[in-house]
Amino acid sequence: MSARTEAWPDTYGAEARPRMGFFTDTSVCIGCKACEVACKEWNLVPEDGLVWSGESFDNTSALGANSWRHVAFVEQTTPLRVDGDGADGEGEEPFRWLMSSDVCKHCTESACLNVCPTGAIFRTELGTVVVQEDVCNGCGYCVPACPFGVLDRRELPAPDRGGRADGRVWKCTLCYDRTREGMTPACAQACPTESIQYGPLDELRERAAGRLDKVVADGFAGARLYGDDPGDGVGGFGAFFLLLDEPETYGLPPQPRDSTRDLGGMWRTAAVAGAALLAGLGAAFLAGRDGAGS
Amino acid sequence: MGSNMAEAHPVGFQWVMEARERGADVIHVDPRFSRTSAMATRYVRTRAGTDVAFLGGIIRYILEHGREFREYVLNYTNAPVVIDEGYQDTEDLDGLFSGWDRKRGSYDTSTWQYAGMEVHASAGQRELGANQGEGAGHGGHGAGLSHGEPPEVDLTLEHPRCVYQILKRHYARYTPELVEEVCGVPREAFVEVAEALCQNSGRERTSSIVYSVGWTQHTTGVQYIRSAAIIQLLLGNVGRPGGGIMALRGHSSIQGSTDIPTLYNILPGYIPMPHAHAHDNLGQFVEMNTSPSGFWGNMTAYTVSLLKAWWGSRATPENDFCFDYLPRITGDHSIYPTVMGMLDGSVKGFLVVGQNPAVGSANSGLHRRAMANLDWLVVRDFVETESAAFWYDSPEVESGELDPAAIGTEVFFLPAAAHTEKDGSFTNTQRLLQWHHKAVEPKGDCRSDLWFYYHLGRLIREKLADSEEERDRPVKELSWHYPTAGEIADPNAEAVLREINGWDANDDALSSYLDLKDDGSTACGCWIYCGCFADETNQPARRTPASEQSWVAPEWAWAWPANRRILYNRASADPEGKPWSERKRYVWWDEGEGRWTGEDVPDFQPDKRPDYRPPDGAKAQDAIAGNHPFIMQPDGRGWLFVPAGIVDGPLPTHYEPDESPHTNPLYAQEANPARQRFRRPLNERNPRGDRYPYVFTTYRLTEHHTAGGMSRFVPYLSELQPAMFCEVSPELARERGLAHGGWATVVTARAEIEARVVVTERMAPVAIEGDVVHQIGLPYHWGSRGLTTGDSANDLLEAVLDPNVHIQESKVATCDIRPGRRSRGSGRAVPR
């Protein structure tokens, strides 16, 4: 584990607050996209292209520098409930339409934060992961580090850069400016069905466990929690989900992992390779000394 | 049904989700699998335009299996009332009711009346009572109520001409098999829905029906809603918590736009507009348009108070309270005939305020061409919509059919202020008036509608100041003084609200419409809103949180009338005044106090005993018995059978839509005989047959708003749905060679439009009469302007209307579809 994530919350001392996060319960998402719009309005995120994707009702397609909430739509010929009743016409193929609002996971072990060379990405006193836009130099190291593909550089012209491309990385701040004042993030505030819930992470995890029980009892096929387990590859998500199918269905990685966990091992491997290389060179040098060319 | 509530009302839909979480069965019956279907516990696919058959099937199911709430039906509905012996049903006349006049294209409704008594309608086409001339009005009421009941009533429900028996005969053939044949709904699925509804109704449980324009925008739209009314009355679901019929209004304040109407045929509070040559004075007007019994019996008080609000001290008993100053109508002045008038040159000018008919109206191309024929046009909106820009940016200009240089219309575009830039109220789908406060000043020249109309009136009155003309007096003598404030002289919206509420002779704000007088001592701009400013307090501005009040939440905003949250709530108690069950208690009679009481404002005279039986000759609300909750009706009963007020039938009947690939299996009469058509070039109906073999339906998406003025110009909304598309099933895609993500052109006799293709299993064919019907989905938001542009689905539609309320049939029509983009420029296919 990296030194940076180990230090939180200790580094905050008296300012440390309970860790806050999102629980996104996709079983009650109605696909209205109020979360996408509220986020953009509050955070002044630019419009992300008027491009029709043809991917069901999803024209946002993915999270990125200019889309910090993304509602996915998945059409399946599967019944919504295990007894086959509901969400299908009698005599028709079973059918369901899954909807889910995706967001930055604010990982416990956050690879983006770990690889950021400038310290632009930091962990707040609320445990959330934020990019400081006045520090970020657009190097882009964080972009491949994120196992979810959340981070992305903004190519649009920046207002303060004379028309040149912004180049910096932008992502969900979990509305840091709102939450440090005790307010609810914009997306959670706007969500009409409370699909997006904001609160202390341990409370959300407890609530989600109970909710999963109810959803399963109500017969929703394939219901599961995603990102609630502190033992997973990123130490558990700060923004976790209740899904109605495998993560892959929603375009999410089934076993996300903080790649910097392997850093120690990578150095060791590199050291072994280097030593092997030197040994090989040494052997070749010694062998070649009384050979050809004399 | 007839609703996509999750997409069109996402915020309101949270309560449906809440109910679902608590175990409610949420059933969605619709031609398309929408986001609402995705949330439902049960989805049933049906053929567009056949809901009356489906609902009729439910009515038959209820009656066949004896599932009606008998005690409720007997006492609270007109089931036991005997109908005129001249009445003949669609079962007798192969799809027509008695009284059809083929030449006039309308019904003489006198044989639909109660036996021995003529009842007036409490709603609907009341002003036409003046023109029917068959004894409706002119004091020819026949007998009045006898001890609060119509003259012929059979409480055993066995008389062959009682409503109950007529209902049974009328719906006898609406079997599950018929529903399968007409709607394409497998009979088992239909029976499951009927059974679920029956099981969840009665003393202990109630069910609610929700609808929107998927029901109203049909040539039989009113009959769709009537079908639901019959079901809910039979099941005892009206006036009870968790029951009722909820009409989801499609705008934040469109309920308000009918309450304080922008409709040609009604005055505030649903008082009818007077007819020229028919209503010579106020007394005659009232007599011809109201009923001596029921709360409409106070129409004089409501009307006089309105006239006092408008003409103030000028309105006196001597001049009939300026009743003569009210404009008169001479017929149907609704939007479609008016647009025909523009095309024919009889209508010269048009004010378009917060509306975009160039995209939103049926046969929108006809509307654009009509506007090109005007002398002048004023458009008030946030952005230069298609209606404002038609003269240089439209499909007709693109194709060369219209030349901007040749269009003589003088167009004025006046920018409008948004709701955040002005004080005012919204009246929503629950009759709730909610105040909103100005947050910022409008920019530049943007002004509110209140500012516009007030100052328009002021300027007109200044110009007329020296006029001696008789015809100018109504405008000159209006009471038109509202306080204004600020640099732009914005009228005080609260002052207007107070005038709507009204005041008494001492200029104290009134508390209740019961206090309205017919002697000119009270003024009130809208009787159903009386009380919204009681105690000199802006009641709609109240925002007491739910946690600080009862579950009915009477202190959040204000509902009309009288802050009553459920109408007809006396029906939540039995004839003796006891709640039907503890679980569903809502309003009840307190014998000790001698008053009605409960969770809500009782919708009944507070001290009227349940055992009150009116003496003969009693008037207005005093003529209503203590066991009849439907106090607006002349007999206090809920009308299963409607003897007056509806022009195309006292009972709903399945008719095919105006355009349909199928014949009516029930009757020789195919479509609604009374539907309103405009037979003229550019508005021709698709012929039957292979040329237009498919059905299409138009609808909304969450991401856009109606005709697009409020969404297609906004980047954050436009990017969510950035292109016009059509939805087709994989089967139809194969049949017509349509590729997902490609283009398709949809064609009718009126127009052809292009759209991106979405091939999805959310669309599926339905099996009808051994045939397969393919249905195509078309969102109707797009037009030529804004950040996201596209063709307008409504260009495809014929303008053909429901005859009661003149609403267009935009939810079902026929078409063809082919792959590829449409023709362009001078090669553009011009409608035949």
Side-chain angles (χ1 to χ4, degrees):
Chain A
M1 291 222 297
S2 124
R4 289 202 186 96
T5 43
E6 262 178 4
W8 179 82
D10 299 332
T11 46
Y12 278 101
E15 281 174 38
R17 309 250 287 272
R19 184 173 178 193
M20 305 299 276
F22 282 135
F23 166 43
T24 301
D25 177 1
T26 69
S27 71
V28 295
C29 175
I30 62 174
C32 72
K33 306 178 191 173
C35 52
E36 292 198 32
V37 176
C39 169
K40 291 216 177 190
E41 288 195 322
W42 179 260
N43 294 296
L44 301 177
V45 179
E47 167 246 294
D48 202 4
L50 299 168
V51 178
W52 186 74
S53 72
E55 293 161 15
S56 192
F57 276 7
D58 176 6
N59 291 296
T60 304
S61 297
L63 293 172
N66 304 320
S67 289
W68 301 356
R69 269 275 176 194
H70 155 232
V71 181
F73 291 78
V74 183
E75 300 182 24
Q76 297 180 317
T77 48
T78 310
L80 184 63
R81 288 181 171 73
V82 290
D83 58 3
D85 256 8
D88 60 29
E90 183 73 49
E92 283 185 17
E93 290 301 306
F95 189 85
R96 68 179 179 175
W97 202 3
L98 303 178
M99 296 164 203
S100 166
S101 179
D102 194 16
V103 72
C104 165
K105 316 301 178 288
H106 294 271
C107 305
T108 305
E109 290 169 46
S110 129
C112 62
L113 187 158
N114 292 340
V115 306
C116 174
T118 62
I121 305 183
F122 76 106
R123 191 169 298 273
T124 71
E125 67 273 32
L126 301 160
T128 53
V129 178
V130 172
V131 182
Q132 300 169 86
E133 70 261 23
D134 51 345
V135 176
C136 175
N137 67 359
C139 75
Y141 284 8
C142 55
V143 175
C146 173
F148 306 97
V150 167
L151 292 132
D152 179 37
R153 293 168 71 239
R154 179 175 287 174
E155 299 302 337
L156 296 170
D160 52 350
R161 288 165 64 81
R164 285 173 297 160
D166 186 304
R168 293 169 288 183
V169 161
W170 298 81
K171 75 166 189 72
C172 165
T173 64
L174 227 152
C175 280
Y176 184 38
D177 52 350
R178 292 174 68 95
T179 53
R180 69 179 171 204
E181 304 299 328
M183 290 167 69
T184 304
C187 56
Q189 183 77 35
C191 178
T193 56
E194 292 177 1
S195 174
I196 301 174
Q197 297 169 36
Y198 168 75
L201 192 60
D202 49 4
E203 264 180 48
L204 291 177
R205 283 180 176 163
E206 210 181 294
R207 192 189 303 163
R211 176 66 190 156
L212 180 66
D213 289 341
K214 180 179 194 296
V215 166
V216 168
D218 281 351
F220 281 86
R224 71 202 64 203
L225 294 177
Y226 175 67
D228 64 313
D229 177 12
D232 71 22
V234 298
F237 305 176
F240 69 103
F241 300 79
L242 190 155
L243 304 176
L244 295 181
D245 204 334
E246 295 179 332
E248 295 94 309
T249 304
Y250 297 86
L252 295 164
Q255 286 166 347
R257 189 180 159 77
D258 169 14
S259 46
T260 64
R261 272 189 187 179
D262 300 329
L263 272 177
M266 286 184 213
W267 282 118
R268 275 192 295 283
T269 308
V272 166
L277 182 63
L278 285 173
L281 277 175
F285 177 70
L286 288 171
R289 262 199 314 177
D290 46 56
S294 52
Chain B
M1 284 181 79
S3 171
N4 186 358
M5 190 177 180
E7 295 199 42
H9 295 259
V11 177
F13 195 73
Q14 67 182 288
W15 308 118
V16 177
M17 293 300 283
E18 183 93 18
R20 190 193 82 172
E21 290 304 307
R22 294 185 196 190
D25 204 358
V26 177
I27 302 173
H28 190 226
V29 181
D30 203 278
R32 292 169 57 229
F33 189 98
S34 65
R35 281 173 268 198
T36 303
S37 324
M39 299 301 135
T41 54
R42 221 185 280 259
Y43 165 69
V44 176
R45 190 180 302 275
T46 184
R47 172 163 70 105
T50 63
D51 297 33
V52 170
F54 188 97
L55 297 168
I58 295 180
I59 294 169
R60 183 193 178 275
Y61 185 92
I62 293 169
L63 296 172
E64 161 102 349
H65 300 284
R67 306 298 287 275
E68 71 270 16
F69 189 161
R70 192 81 173 186
E71 207 183 334
Y72 184 107
V73 170
L74 205 52
N75 290 283
Y76 296 172
T77 76
N78 68 356
V81 178
V82 177
I83 301 300
D84 188 283
E85 62 185 359
Y87 171 72
Q88 286 180 291
D89 189 84
T90 49
E91 290 296 285
D92 306 315
L93 301 176
D94 212 357
L96 293 172
F97 293 96
S98 46
W100 177 245
D101 183 332
R102 191 191 191 83
K103 273 220 192 67
R104 287 173 61 180
S106 64
Y107 279 106
D108 172 340
T109 66
S110 45
T111 55
W112 304 351
Q113 275 290 353
Y114 286 178
M117 173 183 181
E118 202 167 287
V119 278
H120 274 88
S122 67
Q125 296 273 10
R126 278 144 52 232
E127 83 283 1
L128 286 185
N131 278 348
Q132 278 178 343
E134 326 84 7
H138 301 294
H141 302 303
L145 294 174
S146 168
H147 297 295
E149 299 289 6
E152 284 192 51
V153 167
D154 175 15
L155 294 173
T156 68
L157 301 185
E158 280 166 20
H159 190 297
R161 275 186 291 114
C162 78
V163 165
Y164 185 81
Q165 292 299 335
I166 289 177
L167 209 58
K168 282 192 114 158
R169 270 202 313 280
H170 179 84
Y171 285 108
R173 291 192 290 146
Y174 288 67
T175 58
E177 290 70 35
L178 181 98
V179 171
E180 184 168 319
E181 192 187 336
V182 171
C183 309
V185 174
R187 64 197 70 176
E188 302 80 17
F190 162 75
V191 167
E192 272 180 34
V193 172
E195 186 55 39
L197 201 50
C198 289
Q199 276 187 18
N200 202 64
S201 305
R203 281 177 183 266
E204 297 291 331
R205 309 200 72 86
T206 52
S207 298
S208 174
I209 294 182
V210 171
Y211 76 91
S212 321
V213 295
W215 269 7
T216 63
Q217 290 180 358
H218 289 274
T219 45
T220 51
V222 166
Q223 301 296 356
Y224 276 55
I225 291 100
R226 277 276 303 133
S227 305
I230 293 173
I231 290 172
Q232 293 296 67
L233 284 172
L234 288 176
L235 294 177
N237 279 325
V238 185
R240 302 183 61 206
I245 303 168
M246 175 163 278
L248 299 179
R249 308 301 308 251
H251 287 257
S252 50
S253 198
I254 208 166
Q255 179 65 48
S257 84
T258 53
D259 297 341
I260 312 272
T262 55
L263 301 182
Y264 79 95
N265 59 341
I266 46 176
L267 292 169
Y270 302 95
I271 297 171
M273 190 71 84
H275 254 258
H277 313 305
H279 304 128
D280 287 339
N281 56 52
L282 178 57
Q284 201 175 45
F285 168 74
V286 168
E287 194 185 304
M288 291 175 74
N289 281 295
T290 190
S291 169
S293 49
F295 264 96
W296 273 119
N298 301 316
M299 176 142 17
T300 311
Y302 307 152
T303 310
V304 169
S305 302
L306 174 66
L307 296 168
K308 289 295 288 184
W310 286 0
W311 283 285
S313 56
R314 301 286 197 157
T316 66
E318 290 70 40
N319 64 20
D320 222 13
F321 297 104
C322 291
F323 176 72
D324 250 6
Y325 285 179
L326 285 174
R328 299 299 198 263
I329 56 178
T330 57
D332 179 357
H333 308 297
S334 59
I335 181 66
Y336 288 94
T338 303
V339 164
M340 305 309 162
M342 293 178 201
L343 286 164
D344 297 336
S346 61
V347 176
K348 307 289 191 189
F350 196 17
L351 276 112
V352 176
V353 178
Q355 187 159 343
N356 191 7
V359 170
S361 290
N363 201 343
S364 28
L366 197 67
H367 292 253
R368 296 191 297 266
R369 293 176 176 95
M371 292 194 289
N373 218 32
L374 292 166
D375 287 356
W376 58 267
L377 169 72
V378 175
V379 177
R380 274 186 46 85
D381 214 306
F382 303 133
V383 291
E384 204 184 353
T385 59
E386 288 78 3
S387 298
F390 77 92
W391 57 277
Y392 69 90
D393 183 357
S394 70
E396 292 71 39
V397 169
E398 181 200 309
S399 71
E401 182 193 327
L402 289 178
D403 174 12
I407 294 174
T409 316
E410 191 172 359
V411 180
F412 301 85
F413 179 73
L414 304 178
H419 71 278
T420 44
E421 298 165 341
K422 54 190 181 179
D423 285 339
S425 65
F426 295 130
T427 305
N428 79 355
T429 215
Q430 292 178 281
R431 295 170 283 104
L432 204 62
L433 279 71
Q434 299 182 96
W435 193 257
H436 59 84
H437 296 90
K438 173 193 279 204
V440 290
E441 289 296 324
K443 288 203 172 89
D445 290 334
C446 295
R447 298 286 182 269
S448 67
D449 293 335
L450 177 60
W451 183 97
F452 173 74
Y453 285 112
Y454 171 71
H455 287 287
L456 182 68
R458 180 181 61 75
L459 290 168
I460 289 174
R461 283 153 57 84
E462 281 168 21
K463 283 185 182 292
L464 295 178
D466 296 328
S467 166
E468 304 269 316
E469 302 269 4
E470 188 72 29
R471 64 156 190 250
D472 292 332
R473 283 174 50 191
V475 175
K476 290 178 64 172
E477 294 183 9
L478 276 172
S479 162
W480 200 254
H481 311 290
Y482 300 95
T484 62
E487 270 182 39
I488 61 173
D490 221 355
N492 184 320
E494 241 183 33
V496 177
L497 184 73
R498 187 173 182 276
E499 183 182 65
I500 289 170
N501 177 82
W503 47 73
D504 62 17
N506 299 323
D507 196 28
D508 291 325
L510 292 165
S511 311
S512 156
Y513 62 81
L514 296 172
D515 298 332
L516 292 175
K517 305 270 183 285
D518 61 9
D519 60 4
S521 57
T522 55
C524 174
C526 180
W527 71 277
I528 54 178
Y529 281 30
C530 188
C532 69
F533 215 85
D535 304 321
E536 304 293 348
T537 303
N538 183 336
Q539 306 283 346
R542 299 182 304 166
R543 302 231 171 97
T544 306
S547 51
E548 292 171 28
Q549 54 179 322
S550 80
W551 63 276
V552 170
E555 289 172 50
W556 178 276
W558 189 89
W560 70 258
N563 203 24
R564 185 172 293 131
R565 300 302 168 114
I566 292 183
L567 294 180
Y568 302 122
N569 56 35
R570 191 247 174 275
S572 65
D574 66 19
E576 285 72 49
K578 275 177 62 271
W580 292 108
S581 65
E582 266 311 293
R583 190 169 181 277
K584 288 287 173 177
R585 58 187 254 142
Y586 196 67
V587 153
W588 55 87
W589 173 253
D590 183 328
E591 183 63 46
E593 297 284 323
R595 299 183 70 74
W596 287 90
T597 185
E599 309 283 356
D600 192 359
V601 177
D603 198 0
F604 217 57
Q605 285 167 280
D607 53 359
K608 178 182 281 181
R609 301 183 51 81
D611 56 17
Y612 169 80
R613 297 295 177 265
D616 292 356
K619 290 270 178 274
Q621 54 268 33
D622 293 335
I624 303 296
N627 64 343
H628 289 338
F630 292 91
I631 56 177
M632 296 305 297
Q633 303 293 86
D635 54 353
R637 290 177 175 273
W639 283 2
L640 294 166
F641 182 102
V642 173
I646 296 188
V647 305
D648 53 359
L651 289 174
T653 279
H654 172 68
Y655 292 120
E656 287 292 317
D658 178 74
E659 288 182 355
S660 169
H662 277 276
T663 54
N664 192 336
L666 280 160
Y667 318 106
Q669 180 60 38
E670 289 292 333
N672 184 352
R675 71 198 185 284
Q676 209 174 347
R677 294 191 58 198
F678 302 92
R679 290 180 168 92
R680 57 187 301 143
L682 304 178
N683 197 44
E684 282 139 2
R685 186 168 68 172
N686 284 349
R688 276 186 186 283
D690 294 335
R691 197 182 171 94
Y692 301 108
Y694 308 122
V695 168
F696 75 93
T697 186
T698 64
Y699 51 83
R700 295 164 205 230
L701 303 165
T702 309
E703 296 85 345
H704 282 293
H705 190 257
T706 61
M710 285 172 70
S711 62
R712 276 186 291 108
F713 298 76
V714 176
Y716 291 160
L717 296 175
S718 296
E719 63 173 324
L720 297 176
Q721 291 282 12
M724 169 61 181
F725 59 90
C726 62
E727 300 190 290
V728 298
S729 67
E731 293 88 340
L732 179 58
R734 270 195 295 280
E735 185 169 301
R736 271 298 193 251
L738 306 170
H740 179 82
W743 286 92
T745 296
V746 183
V747 186
T748 66
R750 278 76 56 188
E752 53 171 39
I753 64 157
E754 63 183 19
R756 303 304 293 273
V757 176
V758 174
V759 179
T760 169
E761 272 122 345
R762 289 181 291 102
M763 300 299 287
V766 284
I768 304 293
E769 298 168 19
D771 207 353
V772 159
V773 172
H774 289 290
Q775 305 190 102
I776 297 164
L778 293 172
Y780 81 95
H781 302 294
W782 272 273
S784 56
R785 303 184 57 70
L787 296 171
T788 167
T789 62
D791 285 351
S792 303
N794 286 351
D795 281 8
L796 296 171
L797 295 169
E798 177 197 355
V800 59
L801 320 177
D802 171 294
N804 294 287
V805 290
H806 320 295
I807 292 291
Q808 71 276 4
E809 182 155 79
S810 36
K811 289 296 169 175
V812 58
T814 55
C815 69
D816 191 8
I817 188 169
R818 56 171 195 261
R821 304 192 68 164
R822 63 163 165 82
S823 50
R824 288 184 142 66
S826 57
R828 173 136 200 216
V830 174
R832 301 169 298 107

